[in-house]
Amino acid sequence: MTIDSLREYLAVLEAHDDLSRIDEAVSWNLEASAITMLANERDARIPLFERTEAARLVGDPYRGSGSRPWNRIALGLDLPRDLSRYEFYEAVIDRLQDPIPPTSVEAADAPVKERTVTGADVDLLRFPWPYIHAGDGGRYSNLHTLVAPDPDSEWVDWSYHRAMVHDGGTASVLLLAGEQTPNLYYYKYERRGEPMPVAIVVGAEPAVEYTSVMWIPTDRSEAEFAGGLKGEPIELVECETNDLRVPANAELVIEGEILPDARRDEGPFGDYFGYMHGPRRSMPVLEVSAITHREDPIIPFCVEGSGVGYAENSTSSMEAGCVGPDATLGLRTAGFDVECCVPWTSTPRTVYVIATDRSEPGYLHELANFIFTTWGMLHVDFFVFVDADVEPTDSRAVVEALALHADPDADFHQFGVETMPKVPLNIYQTPSEKGDIQTGTSKAKTAKTYIDATRSEPAPDRSPELERRARETLRAAGVELDVEDALLGGRPPREEPTGGWRR
Amino acid sequence: MSGFGLRSHLDRLRERGDLVAIDDRVHWDEEAAAIATVAAREGAPALAFEQTPGHVRFVAGAFGGPDQLAAHDREPWDRIGDALTAGEDLATVPPTHEYGDLLELLAGERTEPATAADGEPAATPDPTLDLHTLGLPTLSANTRPIVSLGILAVDLGPEYGTTWVPVRGGVRGSSRLRLVVPRAFRERLAAATEDAGSGGGGVKNGRERGGIDGGPPTDPPAVSLLLGVSAPALVAALQGWIGDRVRTDVPELAAGIAPTATARVDGRLVPRDAEVRIDGTLRMEAPGGREPTVTGSTPDPASTTTTTEERRAAWEAACETATVVLGVDRIATREDPVVAVSPLGAPLSDDTQLVSLVEAARLYRRVNGYWGVSPVRWVRLPPEGGLGMCLVASEILYAGFEWQLANTLFSFSRLFDKVLIVDEGSDPTDLAKALDDMWVKAHPANDWAFSEPHAPSATATRYRRDGETGSRLHIAATWDPRWDEEYIAPRVTFEQSFPENVRESVAERWDEFDLERE
């Protein structure tokens, strides 16, 4: 069975006793997010708020558990939720290597067209966009897919950029230059004085949501990768007011244009770093031309900042469950023999851990250089390299490697001190260093670092048979050993990449 | 006085559901250690090995705790906290311990008189036993049984009286143990023995001194090796002998932590409730020099993650060490003795957990007495980092104070070469967020500060073992004191992100939402 919609996904959660329907009236004004944040911190069921105004809300539907951040991502792909990290990553990587083209459906057959509002009747404020943290600059849609086309080709990018609602017809969209869609906007549409047609797809089916947070290569069809992930074609339907096609099974679609040379305030916002990010800054303006939606739509949202520390939220879980396998595949495709690339468990985007063997001198430098100049250049400040037999999702093991094997004198490599780009969402720069009217990169440059926490000595010699018997004995005594099992499980040999490590 | 020993601690762990009985038959030869290693690494409860072939039963993880980077109901220091309060009424002891309370307790280094021994030792001599029949565990196959969580009781003469010393040892034959001890202890012992040989014996400070049977000091000196002792005795032994200042009044330090029942054996004080006592004489060198005395001033190549039988205990990285040989004269045990053991070298092992707390408390006391003010809120050497890393939460008194603070810590401890400084309001129970700040709050260039490369090597780490110097690193994940207040970003927390009325409403209605699982 494939999961064709957010609703089907939520039904699967409910079948697994993973979802609670909240029938009491709950306000979009901080209350829904407060409940969601507590649920995230307590690893509780996913809250579906049935009685908010005009639409339903669901808080952090893709949030996984602390030891298995990918477990609900797996459910969305119709994979068992008890897969080990290894099994899950390899399953996602397999699917990503087998893209499936989308199909088209007529509007009459598209659930997202059950209600269509265009022109003067458009009113964003009819929907319960949540006010997520006290101190936020406004109400946000922040768990959606932004669909935007390249003006010079057939390529359409799906990406993940939050939008702050200003009034019934406009929102400001966080576009940070250096990412694919913002680059199209700033360096093509705006320079030509043209509006960028966009669609914000809210409550898309899981495979679409997952694809939009992955770093799908430029010029490649995101819809095809989503189809590959799902195992069936994604059904697309044409927008009402532009030529874009959007997932037909979504809950709600906001159509419109991002205008050239127009800015509105955006933020502050309690961001994925776990801090309120400021200052309020200017961001491009979305002018809404149409809203289509299902009957009684469900709007998902993420309580950003709650996925730091011991709790998960949709963003941190999708980093681990979507970006991790995607990055692992990307590095292998580039010729690097990496065992696994994962975000640091409690820090969704700033630091990644890569388990790999050092195959020759300069290898780690080249690997870090590749990443910092491509997909990791804006958000990722640090890479920690550990040996291939260290489980990179096990923070305990990585901290041990960092503390005991990374020599401050030889293993900390700062790239380009004060020469490298950075998104302005960080909290280590002053507002003036971040800039308040820039396109989305900080005014001040930063440094990037990779840390070689691989051993300089042979690996410990542990007897697998003794270890297996020890685990059996502990289990027989009633000791739960879910942590390591969750991470590793069976670990069959991986097919060696071809082409060597040089790009 | 009774009820403060290891047994009462284990009873408490059992009551809390934090002790699991291993009823399967487990051999002491590598199998028990392998099980203890997995349990420590995975944050399992303490384990009581009920069926082992030897005379003693083991318990592993008695002073351990879970990985603080994973979600658990208990903190890594809770079992130690329980052990240090084992004599108190359970109803008065909270289910989890405040880290700050433990730091204060140990940093105080309070002493109480320990000279009033109150009864006979609980262990009685058993002439049928030898070191092999005890059945102590080995760490790997075909290696020697080890002593991992024991103390040595020695009389240092009239000036110092009885002291308790941390040891790590290996069984050599049926009546001989090779023990690693702090080098400072061996030097004190040598001086005391020399003093006794020159007629300096007698009674001083109200303490009798003597060898076997209470006679005059012996040469080689008479000692007792105690296994299955309470946490205050273990902790006090570490407090006395590791670090940069030696204290010999260890029984008094132990009594200052918690009431500690003591008894006298041949004139020296021993913890009365010790499960196993091995009496004998100590030699600096074996006959013929076949057991050469060695020192451990540099990191041991046979370090804690290798599989050799010489895996060192965590405390050995905190001080210089020497080797002595214990010739065994008699072995005494309690009925059905139980001995705490540590899977040396395993992540989160008991010995690492104990040293983590003791060293953190020592540093906390020292840095807070250093500048005339007390800016430091807490210090942690997370066991997850194998003691190669130190975290400190402090008020930043002035620009550049981070540098002073980090380098003061480097000066006071030889274990680590990485210090992470977090804001004074950081929660010591939230290691994940503290490390998160390392990645997101510290500027990758400006706040990661490396020293020039002439610093001594850290002793807990696995690199630069040949005595070479290198750099140290401190990371200032604190708000820059030069920043305006408006630049300071509030944390996203339930308390800070929602007004009180929303929090109260959610709390009142939480159960109705039916979000929690059973």
Side-chain angles (χ1 to χ4, degrees), chain A residues 441-485:
Chain A
T441 53
S442 296
K443 286 179 78 175
K445 299 170 190 172
T446 189
K448 310 280 181 182
T449 298
Y450 80 86
I451 303 169
D452 177 1
T454 60
R455 299 181 204 94
S456 54
E457 65 203 22
D461 181 20
R462 291 200 317 223
S463 158
E465 172 57 20
L466 187 62
E467 175 109 354
R468 186 190 61 74
R469 279 193 283 124
R471 298 176 78 81
E472 279 178 6
T473 302
L474 287 166
R475 283 214 173 82
V479 176
E480 292 181 14
L481 296 176
D482 54 351
V483 175
E484 187 152 305
D485 285 353

Side-chain angles (χ1 to χ4, degrees), chain B residues 23-341:
Chain B
D23 293 321
D24 287 359
R25 189 167 178 79
V26 172
H27 204 282
W28 50 258
D29 188 15
E30 87 169 330
E31 194 176 7
I35 294 168
T37 296
V38 173
R41 199 172 64 225
E42 299 236 2
L47 306 177
F49 293 93
E50 302 291 355
Q51 300 288 335
T52 54
H55 183 68
V56 299
R57 291 178 298 137
F58 312 140
V59 58
F63 311 112
D67 167 12
Q68 210 195 356
L69 289 163
H72 291 283
D73 293 335
R74 305 207 73 199
E75 297 291 353
W77 50 81
D78 276 342
R79 278 181 220 152
I80 300 176
D82 275 354
L84 295 177
T85 56
E88 298 176 20
D89 180 0
L90 182 58
T92 68
V93 178
T96 189
H97 293 264
E98 294 289 336
Y99 184 73
D101 291 347
L102 292 175
L103 273 192
E104 294 284 352
L105 172 68
L106 298 187
E109 295 193 354
R110 200 166 62 91
T111 58
E112 291 286 338
T115 52
D118 41 23
E120 291 296 312
T124 55
D126 183 344
T128 68
L129 289 174
D130 65 23
L131 290 174
H132 281 303
T133 54
L134 280 178
L136 296 170
T138 67
L139 292 177
S140 52
N142 304 314
T143 56
R144 295 181 173 90
I146 60 154
V147 168
S148 55
L149 291 171
I151 59 172
L152 200 61
V154 187
D155 189 61
L156 288 175
E159 187 175 353
Y160 299 109
T162 296
T163 193
W164 297 341
V165 185
V167 291
R168 185 260 300 174
V171 170
R172 304 289 172 114
S174 59
S175 61
R176 201 157 55 96
L177 280 154
R178 189 177 188 219
L179 300 176
V180 176
V181 295
R183 191 165 74 175
F185 161 70
R186 204 199 64 159
E187 289 168 354
R188 292 286 179 102
L189 185 62
T193 305
E194 197 172 288
D195 180 49
S198 62
V203 176
K204 194 170 180 178
N205 295 336
R207 292 177 164 186
E208 293 180 7
R209 57 189 291 271
I212 300 285
D213 303 319
T218 55
D219 185 13
V223 300
S224 294
L225 173 63
L226 292 315
L227 307 178
V229 296
S230 67
L234 284 172
V235 164
L238 294 171
Q239 285 187 306
W241 290 100
I242 70 170
D244 49 357
R245 292 178 187 172
V246 166
R247 290 189 66 158
T248 58
D249 54 346
V250 173
E252 291 80 4
L253 278 171
I257 295 169
T260 303
T262 57
R264 285 199 183 276
V265 172
D266 305 330
R268 57 189 171 271
L269 285 176
V270 297
R272 209 190 80 179
D273 290 329
E275 299 282 327
V276 174
R277 195 183 77 249
I278 302 170
D279 299 324
T281 53
L282 214 55
R283 287 196 303 271
M284 310 296 181
E285 293 180 348
R290 282 177 296 172
E291 299 280 1
T293 299
V294 296
T295 59
S297 59
T298 55
D300 185 351
S303 61
T304 58
T305 55
T306 63
T307 56
T308 74
E309 63 178 296
E310 292 297 327
R311 281 189 284 184
R312 62 181 180 173
W315 63 263
E316 293 175 62
C319 63
E320 295 188 343
T321 59
T323 304
V324 293
V325 175
L326 172 61
V328 176
D329 295 326
R330 66 186 174 199
I331 296 176
T333 71
R334 295 180 68 169
E335 190 173 343
D336 197 16
V338 58
V339 171
V341 297

Side-chain angles (χ1 to χ4, degrees), chain A residues 2 25 158:
Chain A
T2 55
W158 290 3

